[in-house]
Every structure is written in structure tokens, then in C-alpha cells.
Amino acid sequence: MKIDRLIGILTILLQNEKVTAPYLAEKFEVSRRTINRDIEDICKAGIPVVTLQGTGGGIRIADGFKIDKTVFTSDELKTIFAGLQSLDSISEVTKYKQIINKFSGGDDTVYSDQNNILIDLSSHYKNTLAPKIERIQQAISEKWIVYFDYFYDKGEALKKIEPYLIIFKWSSWYVFGYCIEKQDFRLFKLNRLWNLAVTDIKFELRDLPPSKTEFDQYFSDEINLVAIFDESVKYRLVEEYGVDCFSYAEDNQLLFKFPFTNKESLFQWILSFGDKAEIIEPQELRTEISQRLKKSLKKYSQHDI
């Protein structure tokens, strides 16, 4: 991510009298043009960076400039470290840990004290998730078009997009970008995205209306589910939807009411409870799941000996 690279560049400049643009480009695996833009952004933030041309030249922070280390309190640093460490869980390399070490200035106690919070954003998908995130990050930074095979309820398709954001929301990772086929901004779930290729084709940033980043709208078709659950699965309802998601009905059964946005996900969730759950409303969902169960039963009955 760009902010991580800017922090890294600033840290290197604070620790070294002078560095070169090629050195920074190689260290952060980006082009010299990107480094030049990063230096401009650092200057815009109020930190005077001087670029010297010719033999013996390089990039350095202007003489006499100092960053007040008291700008961050101990608690604020711990919060920053927890956030960086969580990003490290979905990184192929330990770049975020390196930033933590640079921030802490070699003081291990500052870092170790924040270990009471541990966030792992990768789960068991890290081996496939981390490479996707790294490559999409690079494509966003360099404004390169990407394409990939995408699997969804209508089948599968080759998608080509201009990537804008990587998003962690609804307990999943997504890439948000402009879909060239649909001529509009779309969200794509990373776990459904395979055979990712980053092209060398550049794209120009489009105007991004604020309404397009109201991501809940991409899952706006609500299904108002009413269902009855056996009390033995109460722990799952509490875990997934909280203690206020149900009320008690007859025979200590649990009356559950909640809006869903995806019918297939709803069916998979309900069926995962086996005979411990029953859809009450909407009636059309109750009818459809009954038909599905009959088809499944027929398949198994055909193979019974």
C-alpha cells in the first residue's frame, strides 16, 4: 500500500544522511517515477525533502529538520503496531514487521507491550490470498490493468478491471475496480478470483463518485428471513449474529429474524443446521428449500441398497 511505502521511505531518510532514487526504487520494488511521486507527496505533507542532482547527489531531508518523537503517545504507537501486524498476516514478506521495528527504534519493549492484541486477517487462505493482495497492490500503485478468472453464481467468466482499492469487509477480502466489460465499478471477492494476471497496460484514474464506495449497496436485495431454531444451536446464532438476534418461542425454540442479501448463502447457512432449523418466511423460500431437499433425498434414495 502507498501509505506503507511513504512511511518506509521517510524512515529510511531519517536514518540515512542521503539515499538515491534507484536505491529506493529497488528496495520498494517500484519504478523511479513512482519514487519521485512519493517524494513529492512527502514534501506536500510538510516534510522538506531535498533532491540533489549530479555526481554525489541523492535524496535527503533538509538540514535542521527534526520530527518530534512525542507526536505519538505510547498507546497510539501500540495501536499503529497492532494495525501493521494485522497487515503482516496477509503479506508474503515481513515488510510491516520491518516498519514496526523502524518505528520502535530498536526498543523491543514498545513492540512487545502491544502483543495483547493479535489480528490475523488471512485465516487458512494465506497461501493463496497473500500473493493476490501483493500483486493487486502493485497494480493499483502503478495503475496497471489486471484480468482474472472469476467464479460466481452464474458460472465463471474472464474479468478485466482497472483496480482502485483492496477492501476487507464482511469478513472477506475484495478488490474494487472499474470493470471494462460492464463499464462500471464492481466488487470482486478475492477467494473467487483465480489466474490473476497483471498487465503492463496503464489506465487513467476515473472520477469516483462517493456513492460508488458505499459498499453495502452491492448487497442491497434484502431477504427478510424468519426461522425457528432448536435451542441446542443457540451458540451459533449468538456467535454469528449476536444475543439479540432471536426471541424465545414455544417449547424453548428460538425465533430468528434477520435480513439476508444472498439467497444461495442463506440456503447453505440454513442447511448447515440440519434438522435444527426451519424456514417460516418468506413462503417462497420455504417452498424452494423443500424442493431442494426432496431432490437431494431422491439422489440418495436411488443409490440405497
Side-chain angles (χ1 to χ4, degrees):
M1 296 182 182
K2 183 173 181 177
I3 186 63
D4 306 320
R5 190 171 65 249
L6 294 177
I7 292 173
I9 291 172
L10 180 57
T11 303
I12 290 173
L13 292 175
L14 289 169
Q15 293 177 340
N16 296 272
E17 182 178 344
K18 180 174 59 179
V19 296
T20 65
Y23 168 80
L24 292 174
E26 180 179 359
K27 186 171 185 62
F28 293 98
E29 299 180 348
V30 295
S31 67
R32 289 184 61 179
R33 180 177 296 180
T34 296
I35 293 298
N36 290 336
R37 290 198 296 264
D38 289 342
I39 296 301
E40 291 178 4
D41 289 338
I42 291 173
C43 289
K44 290 176 183 177
I47 300 173
V49 178
V50 179
T51 302
L52 304 174
Q53 305 294 332
T55 304
I59 302 168
R60 63 178 176 82
I61 293 180
D63 294 337
F65 180 80
K66 294 182 180 180
I67 291 183
D68 183 1
K69 293 184 178 179
T70 63
V71 69
F72 294 116
T73 66
S74 176
D75 286 341
E76 289 170 339
L77 279 175
K78 291 174 185 178
T79 302
I80 291 171
F81 293 165
L84 289 172
Q85 190 177 33
S86 69
L87 290 173
D88 210 41
S89 68
I90 46 89
S91 176
E92 287 190 289
V93 294
T94 58
K95 61 182 179 182
Y96 300 105
K97 179 67 176 296
Q98 293 169 3
I99 295 174
I100 290 173
N101 291 337
K102 290 173 182 177
F103 257 114
S104 63
D107 184 357
D108 293 336
T109 60
V110 176
Y111 171 66
S112 61
D113 284 348
Q114 63 84 42
N115 280 338
N116 57 347
I117 298 178
L118 178 60
I119 305 171
D120 188 340
L121 297 174
S122 65
S123 187
H124 53 278
Y125 298 110
K126 181 170 183 176
N127 289 341
T128 56
L129 184 64
K132 293 176 188 177
I133 290 177
E134 292 287 340
R135 299 187 71 188
I136 294 173
Q137 280 182 319
Q138 182 182 15
I140 293 172
S141 177
E142 298 293 340
K143 299 181 180 62
W144 287 330
I145 289 175
V146 303
Y147 63 87
F148 47 82
D149 293 325
Y150 196 67
F151 297 80
Y152 57 122
D153 57 355
K154 296 180 181 179
E156 56 187 271
L158 178 66
K159 299 291 184 181
K160 184 180 291 186
I161 71 166
E162 301 166 358
Y164 278 66
L165 295 169
I166 295 176
I167 301 164
F168 183 76
K169 193 172 177 67
W170 309 292
S171 302
S172 297
W173 286 94
Y174 298 81
V175 57
F176 173 74
Y178 187 83
C179 179
I180 295 174
E181 175 192 4
K182 298 296 184 180
Q183 296 289 290
D184 200 1
F185 289 95
R186 291 286 192 273
L187 270 179
F188 299 93
K189 199 170 188 177
L190 293 193
N191 283 341
R192 297 182 184 174
L193 179 163
W194 294 92
N195 300 321
L196 172 68
V198 179
T199 73
D200 57 0
I201 303 172
K202 292 278 191 177
F203 66 90
E204 296 292 330
L205 289 177
R206 301 174 185 269
D207 290 334
L208 182 57
S211 61
K212 293 295 183 180
T213 55
E214 294 174 0
F215 296 114
D216 287 335
Q217 68 176 305
Y218 296 97
F219 300 88
S220 58
D221 296 327
E222 288 192 350
I223 302 169
N224 293 310
L225 174 71
V226 178
I228 290 289
F229 289 84
D230 189 88
E231 191 180 22
S232 63
V233 297
K234 178 168 65 174
Y235 72 96
R236 280 192 58 184
L237 298 181
V238 171
E239 175 186 346
E240 298 176 41
Y241 294 100
V243 295
D244 298 324
C245 70
F246 63 85
S247 59
Y248 281 94
E250 295 179 2
D251 300 326
N252 263 1
Q253 289 187 309
L254 310 177
L255 179 64
F256 175 87
K257 297 180 180 181
F258 205 86
F260 284 75
T261 59
N262 184 283
K263 184 173 70 172
E264 289 303 318
S265 296
L266 168 57
F267 280 160
Q268 291 172 20
W269 183 69
I270 283 288
L271 290 172
S272 72
F273 289 90
D275 63 352
K276 306 296 184 184
E278 178 186 357
I279 293 178
I280 305 301
E281 296 178 8
Q283 179 60 45
E284 58 268 25
L285 259 66
R286 181 181 173 89
T287 301
E288 184 174 345
I289 201 168
S290 174
Q291 292 171 346
R292 292 190 182 198
L293 289 170
K294 288 176 182 178
K295 288 181 181 179
S296 295
L297 181 60
K298 184 177 180 181
K299 287 184 177 180
Y300 283 101
S301 299
Q302 289 173 346
H303 294 87
D304 283 346
I305 299 176

